[in-house]
Amino acid sequence: MPTILVEVMPKPEILDPQGKAIANALPHRGFTGFSGVRQGKRFELSVEGEVTEELLESARAAAAEMLSNPVIEDVVSVTVAEDQ
Amino acid sequence: MPTILVEVMPKPEILDPQGKAIANALPHRGFTGFSGVRQGKRFELSVEGEVTEELLESARAAAAEMLSNPVIEDVVSVTVAEDQ
Amino acid sequence: MSAETPLIAGDPTPQAAPLSGARIGVVTFPGTLDDRDAARAVRLGGGTAVPLWHADESLHGVDAVVLPGGFSYGDYLRAGAIARFAPVMSTIITEAEARTASPLPVLGICNGFQVLTEAHLLPGSMIKNDHLKFICRDQVLRVENTGTAWTSQFTQDELITVPMKNQDGQYVADDATLKKLEDQGRVVFRYVGESPNGSRNDIAGVTNERGNVVGLMPHPEHAVEAGYGSDDATGLREGTDGLTIFTSVVSSLTGGNA
Amino acid sequence: MSEFNIDTVENAGATPDTDLPWAELGLKQDEYARILEILGRRPTAAELAMYSVMWSEHCSYKSSKVHLRQFGEKVTEEMKKDLMVGIGENAGVTDLGDGWAVTFKIESHNHPSFVEPYQGAATGIGGIVRDIISMGARPVAVMDPLRFGDIDHPDTQRVLPGVVAGIGGYGNSLGLPNVGGEVVFDSVYQQNPLVNALAVGVLKHEDLRLANASGVGNKVVLFGARTGGDGIGGASVLASESFDDAKPSKRPAVQVGDPFAEKVLIECCLELFHHNLVEGIQDLGAAGISCATSELASNGDGGMHVELTNVLLRDPSLTPGEILMSESQERMMAVVTPDNAAAFETVLSKWGVEFSWLGEVTDTGRLIIDWDGETIVDVDPRTVAHDGPVYERPYHRPAWQDQLQSAAFRTSAAAKHLPATAEELGQAVVELMSSPNMADKSWVTDQFDRFVGGNTALSQPDDAGVIRVDDTTGLGVGLATDCNDRYAYLDPYRGAQLALAEAYRNVATAGAVPLAVSDCLNFGSPEDPEIMWQFAEAVRGLSDACMQLGIPVTGGNVSLYNQTAGRAIHPTPVVGVLGKFDDVSRRTPSGFQRWADGQAIYLLGTTADELDGSEFARLRGHLGGQPPAVDLEAEKTLGDILINASRDGMIDAAHDLSEGGLAAALAEMSLRFGVGSRTSLHELCERDGVDPFTALFSESQARVLVALPRSEELRFTDMTTARGFPALRLGVVDAESGGIEVTGAFADGSFGISLDELKAAWSAVLPSRFGAVEG
Ligand SMILES: Nc1ncnc2c1ncn2[C@@H]1O[C@H](COP(=O)(O)OP(=O)(O)O)[C@@H](O)[C@H]1O
Ligand SMILES: [Mg+2]
């Protein structure tokens, strides 16, 4: 079944408390070398049948209107993943 | 600045209440054609300097030990994205 | 920083140690919310509450440990995900799993339960409530296992009411784990009535194989004092069903059966 | 070190003719002229940033100041008796006895909550809680008076769930029980929802801290979250401080809160107070560092010298002006003696809180801010913090006010067919209770933690939130917030008084002795003389009423410009009253107890024909006439009766009559624990000369229903008689019937409402709109 992937991240200029908490915790576990962390969302929309251009357009619209909050988030990508 | 992307999804057999809520809401907003939605997480770990194999290994470990809970989640991918 | 630093500034000085001598540690992570309530419950249960600080590996010789509710390190990632790696947790994990006759009794409430699952001291995990909302209400539970260090003074299948308040309270585990929990009688508390969160098998609390580690989502420490407890037939917030958890552990630690 | 040009004081002196974007920053021509006059030169970019935010309506109260003065003027010595800190500080502080004190305040976060409901509401809670911490207090509870548009409007569908989740998401993470608030629906709040937040904190007298920078040589420290570009969206003109090549800059339109950071900040500050490590402290809210430095300096020894490059940044592209204006959340500024600096750092490290030493207190009378060693701000801090513009805005009574007031409900078309038969009246009660404003609000309140801390003695849906302060003695406080915007619209003077009267009554009904007032004045644009009249009338009304009730206003907030496309909200002066219990275990719950079968139900107070602005009139789509009469002497006597009855253990339940009148109070007392009642309206109608419809739905003030054991009836009525206060036995609690039965002077006997049915209708209203909570 094909899947449409939608990736959403907090806008770069917006505080990301989730990423901040992880960034603070990583070094305590010996994971150094990362200068920052941001946490976003990944959606898998499953499609029965084929992914038409129309459906992809619909996914883009859903990403912009429902899956992300344009005030604080950016839709990073909307792509098709076969055989997820 | 290079970025390491970590993608985490709820295990297929675990109910995903957020994904379910979105799947239920989509048709009300005119987005039909999606048979299911799952919501996972996307992490961007920023790296200053180069992404060494060692650092990537460290990111994989962080993904497995901290960024995901193996009881309920799978790490889908750990990849490098230049110029995010 | 030394353990002498008071965890909560301006708190009344701790009460004098009662005779029982059961010393029960109450862990404070930076985002812990219910530590003072848990300490109060320990005192009312007849024990002495000993504050434990997340960054301090030492358990200061306590006889049992409570991991109270709250948002340990913010819990933005997953509830309890980061807390599990705290220095205090490594000692707790070692002592709770010690192959001794009496491993450390540990109780995780709400966020504490989440920490215990993340630390793999208890099986399964918690995900968002099926309705996706935070829910605060009084909850009826059935006590199904009275063999743990924390439930010995309940009667089998006793119904109790305690407050519940969480957003990530839906207990999940794979089928094999659920079967094992059920077969071994390790479901300690089960929700009665309409499920508040969609938990598998209506599970509200479980224990480990040895019965020293118990986790539950609702809050017994909020039902230990009349007037500030759960609602019951005698009146507004008069219910103190949660106190039995704390008298149970004090009694099992002091060898009494009172 | 920076990519941008730094506009230094020296440079400003040398380039007097540079055009500055003062208008874009919201300053008026004459205001800019004042700045030139004060400085004797053009301001630097950073100075302009400071003046523009500090002289904004939000920070300077320029439109409201002349009116707010009444709160400080209309006070007697008696009213000041318990007041330890009055208006002007972050929050007022009132003595509670036994060495304890309490501080509380209401603020608004209306517009941000419209733009981004979750974060707007969340950061609203964060901000008010920091005000409480900055007094040296431990926050112990929050409340949230909320107003939304029509329940079925798409705007409400978007805003309400987000606001509720945001208040819960932030407040629940702080360990502060949410003990009350309001949820009101009215189309006037479409696109202008009101999100007000109240926080209350307690402290020992010796822990009191004030926002002042005293002690020359003491160090100034900024701690908590890093500074980002939050809340400076409109000021991006400052992104290029040379102003001629304005480069596009990305600045967040909304602020995102980090409740975990705030929780840690609370504990960290309390530990600092406990070890006596700070001399003065100020939260960072509106106007950020501009506000904190200028207020600390002008309230202290008058001078401060700081190096702005020391500020820890989240976004390194911020210019000095933007850093000064940034409203990033979860930050505090403190003044620390050099001797305490090391201990201060130890406490901050323990809690993992970042900090940076910015500079020190001086006695120069100047606030000097350097950027990398060069002076970019050199001002008298008082001119920034206190000498902002003050407007005597014109105001006049709207021409339509008379017409509005003469459009009484009784004579309107809406009153053509009023319920009169038992059946009609019974149906009207059900209809009333299943209207959005009267409906069960647990869909909202169940998303808030009411129990954390183990000190909550009463919370929603009781009349007041009640919190124990001292475990050993039971000393505690009761709080209520109220406002009926419809009354305030019909008559702002009286409406503000009615808001106070209701909050006072609620607190007393729970058994607490009212002590202090905080208010949040939500209005439309002050530039509209009719709105300004509403504002002036409300302040006059509230201050007069406080004087009569003998309780001072200790702080509050003004929110203006709540209007869209020329349509303003109703004047909404939300009033919070705080009261004291010697022992909170005496608190009176608002419902009939399960074991109270057969207890007597008394109505205290008298009922007149007062339906204008009522919930019943709203049901019929009518708004006009005169709001109910205010009788503050009666409120005082009534309060006294309830406080004594609670203290002496005479009554087991009490509930005040407000929106929906007797019908609503009877229904709510039964719905509380599912315990019914049997009452008769016969005597009431006869005594007060009203018909059964009026008896049920009129909203006359100074009325309360109580339930008490028969053994206490004599003692209780002796007390009411001695005080000359009307008390009428209406009937009895009936724990068996499962219904509300009312007989009266109706033609056709009595009506009965099944509690199951009523409860189903009453509790379905919000879930049917916003989704069921349970799976
Ligand atoms: N409506 C009001 N009634 C009484 N006092 C008010 C009112 N509005 C503001 N104040 C007082 O004016 C002072 C400044 O208010 P504000 O700028 O909101 O304080 P802060 O900077 O702490 O947020 C405070 O002491 C506040 O309590
Ligand atoms: Mg303040």
Side-chain angles (χ1 to χ4, degrees), chain D residues 26-201:
Chain D
L27 288 165
K28 297 272 170 8
Q29 172 101 56
D30 55 330
E31 292 172 346
Y32 184 60
R34 277 250 356 252
I35 297 172
L36 294 176
E37 189 190 323
I38 287 169
L39 294 175
R41 58 171 164 80
R42 78 154 170 92
T44 65
E47 287 165 345
L48 182 68
M50 288 186 84
Y51 279 106
S52 71
V53 276
M54 289 298 290
W55 286 13
S56 69
E57 184 66 59
H58 183 73
C59 294
S60 73
Y61 291 86
K62 55 191 168 192
S63 303
S64 54
K65 222 173 203 164
V66 292
H67 300 281
L68 296 180
R69 285 189 188 128
Q70 296 169 74
F71 292 137
E73 289 160 5
K74 295 182 193 162
V75 279
T76 61
E77 282 310 310
E78 178 66 16
M79 284 161 78
K80 286 195 228 160
K81 184 169 58 71
D82 296 323
L83 199 60
M84 295 171 62
V85 174
I87 292 182
E89 282 287 339
N90 286 309
V93 179
T94 306
D95 184 16
L96 269 188
D98 290 352
W100 286 99
V102 60
T103 177
F104 79 127
K105 187 174 169 191
I106 319 184
E107 276 204 346
S108 63
H109 228 212
N110 302 338
H111 188 65
S113 303
F114 172 70
V115 175
E116 164 44 38
Y118 185 100
Q119 297 295 346
T123 52
I125 295 283
I128 188 64
V129 167
R130 283 193 299 284
D131 264 329
I132 296 304
I133 310 172
S134 65
M135 301 309 296
R138 166 177 276 282
V140 292
V142 295
M143 293 175 104
D144 58 329
L146 307 175
R147 283 166 177 79
F148 303 101
D150 188 279
I151 193 169
D152 290 314
H153 193 277
D155 187 39
T156 306
Q157 293 292 318
R158 175 185 72 93
V159 173
L160 183 143
V163 163
V164 172
I167 291 169
Y170 204 102
N172 295 341
S173 305
L174 300 182
L176 302 179
N178 184 313
V179 297
E182 300 168 80
V183 182
V184 175
F185 298 97
D186 194 299
S187 59
V188 295
Y189 300 111
Q190 257 143 240
Q191 294 181 289
N192 287 289
L194 300 186
V195 175
N196 293 176
L198 176 153
V200 54

Side-chain angles (χ1 to χ4, degrees), chain C residues 182-234:
Chain C
E182 296 289 358
D183 290 350
Q184 295 178 347
R186 284 164 53 196
V187 174
V188 182
F189 301 98
R190 215 184 293 270
Y191 297 115
V192 175
E194 201 170 5
S195 167
N197 50 31
S199 286
R200 297 296 161 283
N201 299 10
D202 287 329
I203 290 172
V206 299
T207 184
N208 62 348
E209 290 191 21
R210 303 190 65 192
N212 61 313
V213 180
V214 170
L216 82 166
M217 281 317 286
H219 288 263
E221 85 285 16
H222 288 326
V224 295
E225 201 184 358
Y228 309 91
S230 46
D231 273 354
D232 73 5
T234 59

Side-chain angles (χ1 to χ4, degrees), chain D residues 254-265:
Chain D
V254 297
Q255 298 151 40
V256 170
D258 181 351
F260 173 63
E262 177 112 337
K263 163 66 181 165
V264 170
L265 207 51

Side-chain angles (χ1 to χ4, degrees), chain B residues 59-76:
Chain B
R60 285 192 200 103
E65 290 170 33
M66 191 188 268
L67 302 180
S68 71
N69 175 351
V71 177
I72 49 173
E73 294 167 323
D74 292 324
V75 178
V76 176

